[in-house]
Amino acid sequence: MGTHRIEGAVGAGGAIGTVALRDGGVMQTMGMGTWHMAEDANRRADEIAALREGVDLGVKLIDTAELYGDGEVETLVGEAIRGLDRSELCIVSKVIPSHAGHKDMRASCEASLKRLGTDYLDLYLLHWPGAVPLEETVACMESLRADGLIRRWGVSNFDVDDMEALWRVPGGDSCVANQVLYHLESRGVEVSLKPWMRDHGVAMMAYSPLAQGGRLAYGLRDDPTLNAVAGRHDATPVQIMLAWAMRDGETIAIPKAGSPAHMRLNVEAAGITLTPDDLAALDRRFPAPARKPPLDWL
């Protein structure tokens, strides 16, 4: 996979990059996550404004799922993108495993499209491995793609053995992306999964790259090393976490922002280039595991 810059998506130090997908498409290296949105009616206006702010700043990728809020988050995203140029957006949603077969997948996809107010998804993901045979799920994905309901498909929370099983299925190698948990204190995918995906041309999407604002890693934002790096860049610790997740130009990070101000900070992080000394300091403080651990996911 290669990377290049896309005009109109500008962080503090330059444009947001894109990752070339195995089917010839591209995705930006930073998108907007939506997990835990639509949980508080008092925050709804700010959440919609945050998504619109991101689009205005050039972030065209929005990630959601039918699971989030039992569809309420897709409805919120649909409201946020209403009236925008759909052709400029990259909308990603996910199907839960129990819906990922002949009986339910098309209905699930159509319900997601209705809530989002769009005719197609740019990327449709299997949310995690389930009981429906992969052969059936792949056949359903390909049917949706043939009929124009989705442009491409991928998976989420798949470990190496899951990816290898997928690759043994006819058409399984049409998978363009795998979305996994990845942040400074969750680096297990670097041991074998990320190299496998790079070798096979599968893009890695990183969810919760900010460790959900530190909730997944208690005290992370107060860490002295992280704050020292932030100080050298006149940035916040959270911005450094996001810049770190995108440091290789290949990882697609999808942080959530609940307000326009938070969204602006996220976009600014795309312009931060960490130095070799910064990366070495963070590696010493937050080392990747020496051996492959079980896949970390939520």
Side-chain angles (χ1 to χ4, degrees), residues 255-267:
K256 187 193 80 169
S259 69
H262 187 184
M263 180 60 68
R264 288 190 290 272
L265 289 173
N266 285 353
V267 174

Side-chain angles (χ1 to χ4, degrees), residues 87-102:
S87 68
E88 292 187 353
L89 302 176
C90 179
I91 306 299
V92 181
S93 194
K94 310 178 194 74
V95 59
I96 60 174
S98 60
H99 291 170
H102 295 306

Side-chain angles (χ1 to χ4, degrees), residues 16-35:
I16 297 171
T18 62
V19 173
L21 304 176
R22 61 184 290 108
D23 68 347
V26 296
M27 289 181 69
Q28 289 180 306
T29 52
M30 192 181 81
M32 297 181 281
T34 60
W35 191 20

